[in-house]
Every structure is written in structure tokens, then in C-alpha cells.
Amino acid sequence: MMKLWKRHQRKMKVTVRIKLCRKRNAAGIVIFLFLFLTACTDKNMTQKTIVEQTDEQNIWDDSVLVKNNAPNEELVGMLPKPVANGAKNTYDTLNVATYITKVDDTYFIADCYHDQILYNKNLTDPVSQWCVLTDEVHYAHTIASDGVMFLVDDTENNRLLAFQRTDEGYVHTQTLENIGMRPHYVQYDAKNQTFMAWSSITGEMYLVKKAKNPNGQGIYPLYVDKILKIKELYGVYVRSFTVMEDGIYFVSGHNNQKIIKAAVNSRQDGFDILEEYPVADQAAGMVQLVKIGDFYYITISTDNQENQDYATILRTDRLEKLSDGSYEEIYDQFGVSGGTPYYITEIEGRYYMAHHRTNENIIAFDVNQNQIEHVEVIY
């Protein structure tokens, strides 16, 4: 009898464990499904950068981005209480500046190798007078905003950090973990009211949306609405994309050597490739592609062997010319050399280029009738 009773106890323990596992799995499924609930917002972006789509054709199918209801419960990654930084920058110089933008009356710079995002009201104060939005990142490359919410790619930690402008200043509100591998580029698509975050190694575009209504603290949750994949770029180091004309252009990586023009597929879970533009060996490791006037401007970090000695700036009137080297190299027109040109943005009609591996970190310039003019080193 005693043996039978012990055997019965063992069976009961196994049954309890199975039930607990089922409960845990069910909870995990609920959390996973939470990421795919959707919402829309009527907040418009107040500042336009080069790559944002405002007047171009709507390349997204509305059914991909716009759905009826936002999640009603607290979303994954929300901080219990928003956290402000706002401390003064402790560095006298920038260390690998990768991005500059302006939202309303405030400038933001990604000070990548100092692991921080800075902000300030002007471009005349020394960088030691700028304030720190966050220093909880490891190699943040870009920042994007809809005018209220700000999204930062925390590249080496594979996550996104969300901030909100409040009466108390800028506060950290949420952390979205497990965003592919090395998220490297974040932009705001004003037309579709969606943040677009690019995972630079896995070929995945994370579409992040803002809940329609704020929570009890007045904070707007963000959530991953969709993940669009392009399998041809899995394992390829692609630093950025450009929403332009009638598609999305993904720049060449050193290990695929081609620009890919794509559009959302009919299944709405990834991209169809529309065009491919092979590039020469020396231009393979691209950073960014932008259209200014009649030309495509392309910043280059490395060749196909990841040699930074090939860092330069190119421009061409046709992407087909990139394969045979019949493009124009314009790096010397900026009066700097030996560095790495990075992301270019447009702010109030002027162009700004982040630049590193030299002392010239932020360079401003104008383009007038396809001529580069008034080049100025800001920082």
C-alpha cells in the first residue's frame, strides 16, 4: 500500500508540473500576441528629414499599417515610472557622430562611440553644453520622432528605447527588446504614422506604432505592429534604407554588392524585389543613399573587403552607373579627407552630414542647382 501511495504522489507532482508549464506557455503566447495588436494616431511629424516619406506615393497597403484598436493593457517594456536624464554632456568632443536631426526647436546628435544621444537648442554652443537624452545605449546610430515620441536604436543591445517630451522634459518611457540583430537605422514615416526600425543583419523591418491614447500617466505606449522580412538581406550588413519614389531602397552591403529596390509583398509579411543595382567593389560598403536635386548621393564606409580607406561620397544621376564606376566622386568638395561620411539629413533647407574618423564631425552644406556650396564644419 505504501508503494502505491508513493507512486500516486509522484503522478500528482508530474500532473501539477504539466499544468504549470501549460500556464506559463499560455502566458508567453499572450505576451507574444500583444506585439501584433495595432492602433493609429493622428499626430503629425513636425520636422522632415531626407529619407522620410511625406509627399511621395504611399508605398504601404493600408491594411498593413492601420487597424482598429490599440491594446488596452500595459505593453511590453513600459517603465513603471518615466525616467528623465537631462544631465550636461561630460565630453568636449564628439566620438563617431553618426546622425543629426532637428525636431521642432531642438537639435539631436547621435554621439555613437560615447554611447549617448545629445540635444540642444542651437548649433553654436560647444558640445560640452549639450544635454544628454540617454547614455543607456551601446552604439546608438539614429533617432526619429513624430513630434511627441522619440525612438532610438540601441544597436549593440538589439533594442529600441522610447522617449516622450513632457512638461518635465524628455523622459525614457519604454524599452523594446529583441529587435532583430544590431538595429541600425530608425525613421518616422509621417504619412503612415509609423516608426520604421531596420535590423541591419537579419533583413527585418520592424514597424512600430504609437497607441491612440496615453495611459494614466499621460505616456503613449509604442508597440511592434509588424515585422517585414527580406530574405535576400539576411546575413548582409545593410546600414540603412531610403523611402523614395515608388519603393524602399536598401543600400549595398560589403558582402552582397548591390542596392535593392523593394516593395511590400502581397502577403504583407515581407518585400518583393523590384530592381537590383550592382555596385563596384570599391563602393560596396555603403552607408546611405539620398536624392538631392537631380542626383543620388551615396556615402561609402568601406569597399567589399571592409577597408575604410575607401570611405568617400559618390553621386550619380542613374543607379545603373554604379556597377562600372562611371559615377562622380565628390568627397574632396567638402574640404575634408581620411574620414568616414555617414548619414545625411535635411534641416530647414540645408543639408547636414555626420562624419567621423577625423576632427570634423558635423558638416553643413547647401546644394544649389546641383552644385555643392557653403560647406561649413559645425562640430
Side-chain angles (χ1 to χ4, degrees):
M1 288 296 294
M2 183 61 67
K3 289 183 179 179
L4 290 174
W5 171 245
K6 289 182 178 180
R7 188 178 305 165
H8 175 69
Q9 284 184 314
R10 286 196 295 269
K11 287 182 180 179
M12 289 293 290
K13 289 179 181 179
V14 171
T15 301
V16 169
R17 290 194 189 103
I18 291 172
K19 289 182 178 179
L20 286 173
C21 288
R22 286 174 177 169
K23 287 182 179 179
R24 291 190 187 110
N25 289 340
I29 291 170
V30 168
I31 292 172
F32 176 78
L33 289 175
F34 234 64
L35 297 174
F36 294 93
L37 298 176
T38 56
C40 60
T41 178
D42 56 4
K43 186 71 182 178
N44 289 322
M45 178 77 165
T46 58
Q47 192 269 334
K48 178 179 179 293
T49 64
I50 288 280
V51 297
E52 288 167 353
Q53 179 191 0
T54 54
D55 298 323
E56 301 288 354
Q57 175 186 351
N58 185 353
I59 61 166
W60 305 104
D61 185 306
D62 287 343
S63 61
V64 176
L65 298 180
V66 181
K67 299 180 184 177
N68 294 324
N69 299 307
N72 293 318
E73 301 176 28
E74 183 174 88
L75 294 185
V76 172
M78 292 292 292
L79 273 62
K81 182 179 180 181
V83 177
N85 191 323
K88 288 292 184 182
N89 178 25
T90 59
Y91 299 100
D92 294 327
T93 60
L94 300 170
N95 187 4
V96 184
T98 52
Y99 194 76
I100 179 171
T101 189
K102 187 180 184 183
V103 181
D104 289 339
D105 61 350
T106 304
Y107 294 90
F108 295 83
I109 292 177
D111 188 12
C112 187
Y113 276 27
H114 278 152
D115 293 328
Q116 60 183 1
I117 300 287
L118 305 176
Y119 67 93
N120 197 48
K121 296 291 186 180
N122 61 64
L123 294 176
T124 56
D125 290 339
V127 293
S128 59
Q129 294 300 308
W130 285 50
C131 293
V132 177
L133 176 71
T134 181
D135 55 5
E136 298 182 65
V137 292
H138 186 22
Y139 293 178
H141 285 84
T142 56
I143 179 172
S145 176
D146 67 352
V148 174
M149 301 304 300
F150 296 76
L151 200 60
V152 172
D153 54 51
D154 185 0
T155 301
E156 298 300 325
N157 289 322
N158 303 324
R159 63 184 188 175
L160 302 172
L161 302 187
F163 301 83
Q164 183 170 327
R165 182 168 50 195
T166 68
D167 293 339
E168 290 72 37
Y170 299 100
V171 295
H172 180 197
T173 60
Q174 188 174 3
T175 300
L176 298 172
E177 302 279 1
N178 302 314
I179 305 297
M181 183 179 295
R182 303 194 78 242
H184 206 290
Y185 196 66
V186 178
Q187 293 294 291
Y188 182 69
D189 177 6
K191 177 165 287 189
N192 295 296
Q193 301 172 349
T194 301
F195 289 95
M196 305 165 68
W198 175 246
S199 169
S200 66
I201 303 296
T202 61
E204 295 173 309
M205 183 80 78
Y206 286 73
L207 305 183
V208 178
K209 303 202 73 175
K210 181 175 74 177
K212 185 175 182 180
N213 299 308
N215 63 17
Q217 296 177 298
I219 299 301
Y220 286 92
L222 299 179
Y223 60 96
V224 176
D225 177 60
K226 201 85 171 176
I227 304 173
L228 304 179
K229 300 182 180 182
I230 178 166
K231 64 180 181 180
E232 290 81 1
L233 293 181
Y234 183 85
V236 180
Y237 182 29
V238 176
R239 293 177 175 86
S240 72
F241 61 88
T242 305
V243 178
M244 183 174 58
E245 298 163 349
D246 58 346
I248 298 181
Y249 291 71
F250 297 92
V251 296
S252 169
H254 74 275
N255 52 339
N256 75 328
Q257 290 195 225
K258 58 187 174 183
I259 294 171
I260 291 178
K261 175 184 176 182
V264 179
N265 63 27
S266 59
R267 298 184 304 277
Q268 302 169 357
D269 62 355
F271 296 96
D272 286 331
I273 294 177
L274 305 179
E275 299 283 350
E276 296 184 355
Y277 302 95
V279 303
D281 292 351
Q282 61 268 27
M286 294 181 174
V287 178
Q288 187 187 26
L289 163 70
V290 298
K291 186 79 177 288
I292 304 176
D294 297 324
F295 287 88
Y296 300 96
Y297 288 69
I298 304 169
T299 49
I300 306 295
S301 177
T302 73
D303 67 351
N304 63 341
Q305 300 300 312
E306 298 187 273
N307 185 344
Q308 291 190 74
D309 291 340
Y310 287 86
T312 188
I313 308 172
L314 313 176
R315 75 175 184 181
T316 181
D317 58 347
R318 296 178 62 247
L319 296 178
E320 289 83 357
K321 293 182 178 180
L322 293 171
S323 61
D324 60 7
S326 59
Y327 46 74
E328 182 183 4
E329 189 166 342
I330 59 172
Y331 193 21
D332 59 354
Q333 296 187 38
F334 291 86
V336 296
S337 61
T340 300
Y342 227 71
Y343 294 131
I344 297 174
T345 49
E346 180 187 0
I347 301 174
E348 297 170 348
R350 199 161 199 223
Y351 299 97
Y352 293 79
M353 178 175 66
H355 182 258
H356 57 261
R357 291 200 304 133
T358 68
N359 293 327
E360 299 87 9
N361 296 284
I362 302 293
I363 300 172
F365 63 99
D366 297 320
V367 178
N368 183 17
Q369 296 183 343
N370 297 321
Q371 298 298 312
I372 297 169
E373 300 177 342
H374 309 128
V375 176
E376 179 185 5
V377 176
I378 304 296
Y379 289 110

